[in-house]
Amino acid sequence: MIAPVGGSASHMMKAAVFLLFALLVPAYHTGDQCIDNSIDAKVQAAISNIVITNLAKAKLLCQDVSASGDLVSCPAGYKPTGCACGMGCGSWDIRSDSICHCQCGGMDWTAARCCRVGLE
């Protein structure tokens, strides 16, 4: 017995679509994506090793500076972490991100603790 033409074509189309999905889906999930994931993992591992190595070498480098008057500047690349004032003055502020300023009048000296992060 011969099947109707429409039914056979419909079955052939369904089979072709099924075969297409059967071939493409595994290729997509195991092909480029797998390679991309492998490359991503290796890059992340390399970056992590570099960061860990450099963090282990990081060190806080500090120095004290002082000057007469009510202002003292930290050297280039250093930031003040604290200030001290002469004549028993305890009021100070940090100006322009690198200058210690004692707020009392007639200041005889000002000192700063200046620090930066460096590598050994």
Side-chain angles (χ1 to χ4, degrees), residues 81-97:
T81 59
C83 306
C85 306
M87 301 174 62
C89 178
S91 297
W92 55 267
D93 60 89
I94 296 173
R95 295 183 174 179
S96 302
D97 205 32

Side-chain angles (χ1 to χ4, degrees), residues 39-103:
I39 291 171
D40 287 346
K42 288 182 181 189
V43 168
Q44 287 296 331
I47 290 171
S48 294
N49 286 338
I50 291 169
V51 169
I52 289 169
T53 300
N54 285 327
L55 282 178
K57 294 178 183 178
K59 186 176 182 181
L60 189 61
L61 306 172
C62 298
Q63 59 181 314
D64 296 321
V65 294
S66 62
S68 58
D70 62 351
L71 297 172
V72 66
S73 296
C74 287
Y78 285 79
K79 303 293 181 194
T81 59
C83 306
C85 306
M87 301 174 62
C89 178
S91 297
W92 55 267
D93 60 89
I94 296 173
R95 295 183 174 179
S96 302
D97 205 32
S98 64
I99 299 170
C100 277
H101 168 246
C102 290
Q103 297 173 351

